[in-house]
Amino acid sequence: MMTNNRPTLPADPSPMEVQARRWRIRMYLAVILGCLLVLLGAWGIRAYRQYAVRQATSEVPGPDELADVLRRQAGLATTSVSLTKLGIYDSDKSDAPCSLWKPSTIKFGRRACVVPVHITIHYGIDLTALSPGDITVDGRMATVRLPQPTIVSKEMMAQTPADEVFSLATGLRAVVGHSEINHIKDMAYQAALRDTRLHEELAAEIRNNTAIVCGSLLCSLGFEADIQFKK
């Protein structure tokens, strides 16, 4: 009698077994992903702590570095003033006296001109003159001795509106011309810059504004600032 020894095919897994297998795969993947996240978090915390330690133990900038930072500010303007000065020309007072020996000095009539000159003056500190010897660093305290305030920039309105210029002529004299008006403006401009009264009146405000600006700059570098001014 012969027997049939054909191999039997494995039975198809049931839907419950397939679902259980998928669940186990998802669980393994979730565990692996969680472990990776934990390792990445631990590495990030360790790197941040190392960075914080380096920052805390890093070398504090010295006077040379601070002087270089401040010198980059060049002419630090902290106070601006806009003013109008009148440039006045009167031929009776400005022209040379008449002389019979010099016919060219004999003029008939009078010329006068009033020109408003609009000027803007910027006061501040010339930081290019700052040296490392002007800075003292003690821990996180930086003491800076600044020069006295001065004019760091100035400007004059290039064009004066024609309706603002008052010009008259009498006799045989011609009205003051454009070139002479520019000359009058330049003289008034130079006179305004030589006038030290405005500078003296604003000196305290300029020093205060400069101390605030420089102090803020040093604070941004991690220092407490003590701003002083040379005498």
Side-chain angles (χ1 to χ4, degrees), residues 15-107:
M16 293 189 62
E17 290 177 345
V18 172
Q19 185 175 1
R21 185 180 304 169
R22 291 176 179 174
W23 183 85
R24 285 195 297 271
I25 293 173
R26 292 174 181 174
M27 183 182 66
Y28 295 151
L29 292 175
V31 171
I32 294 172
L33 181 60
C35 292
L36 290 175
L37 291 176
V38 171
L39 291 175
L40 288 174
W43 179 83
I45 293 174
R46 181 171 178 271
Y48 174 78
R49 288 178 176 176
Q50 290 178 345
Y51 172 78
V53 170
R54 286 196 301 269
Q55 288 293 101
T57 58
S58 61
E59 184 180 356
V60 177
D64 290 335
E65 292 81 3
L66 290 182
D68 184 60
V69 170
L70 292 175
R71 279 197 296 261
R72 292 175 190 170
Q73 304 300 315
L76 181 63
T78 59
T79 304
S80 297
V81 178
S82 296
L83 56 95
T84 299
K85 189 174 181 63
L86 295 180
I88 301 175
Y89 170 80
D90 188 343
S91 62
D92 286 352
K93 299 178 181 179
S94 303
D95 291 352
C98 296
S99 173
L100 295 177
W101 304 106
K102 293 183 179 180
S104 61
T105 63
I106 302 176
K107 300 182 175 87

Side-chain angles (χ1 to χ4, degrees), residues 87-183:
I88 301 175
Y89 170 80
D90 188 343
S91 62
D92 286 352
K93 299 178 181 179
S94 303
D95 291 352
C98 296
S99 173
L100 295 177
W101 304 106
K102 293 183 179 180
S104 61
T105 63
I106 302 176
K107 300 182 175 87
F108 299 96
R110 176 186 180 189
R111 290 197 305 170
C113 187
V114 178
V115 184
V117 185
H118 305 290
I119 305 168
T120 301
I121 303 176
H122 303 279
Y123 294 95
I125 303 294
D126 182 12
L127 294 177
T128 59
L130 199 66
S131 67
D134 298 322
I135 301 175
T136 302
V137 176
D138 184 7
R140 288 294 177 180
M141 174 62 72
T143 302
V144 181
R145 291 169 291 278
L146 296 175
Q148 287 294 323
T150 185
I151 297 176
V152 295
S153 65
K154 51 197 178 293
E155 56 194 57
M156 175 177 63
M157 183 182 291
Q159 297 294 331
T160 300
D163 57 354
E164 293 186 8
V165 178
F166 173 74
S167 179
L168 63 87
T170 61
L172 302 178
R173 305 297 295 273
V175 176
V176 177
H178 180 71
S179 60
E180 291 173 304
I181 288 177
N182 285 338
H183 179 65

Side-chain angles (χ1 to χ4, degrees), residues 66 69-70 73 76 78 125 127 130 140-146 206-229:
L66 290 182
V69 170
L70 292 175
Q73 304 300 315
L76 181 63
T78 59
I125 303 294
L127 294 177
L130 199 66
R140 288 294 177 180
M141 174 62 72
T143 302
V144 181
R145 291 169 291 278
L146 296 175
I206 299 169
R207 284 194 290 265
N208 181 67
N209 293 347
T210 304
I212 292 174
V213 174
C214 289
S216 300
L217 180 59
L218 292 173
C219 288
S220 68
L221 298 175
F223 288 94
E224 295 181 16
D226 178 18
I227 306 299
Q228 302 175 4
F229 291 88

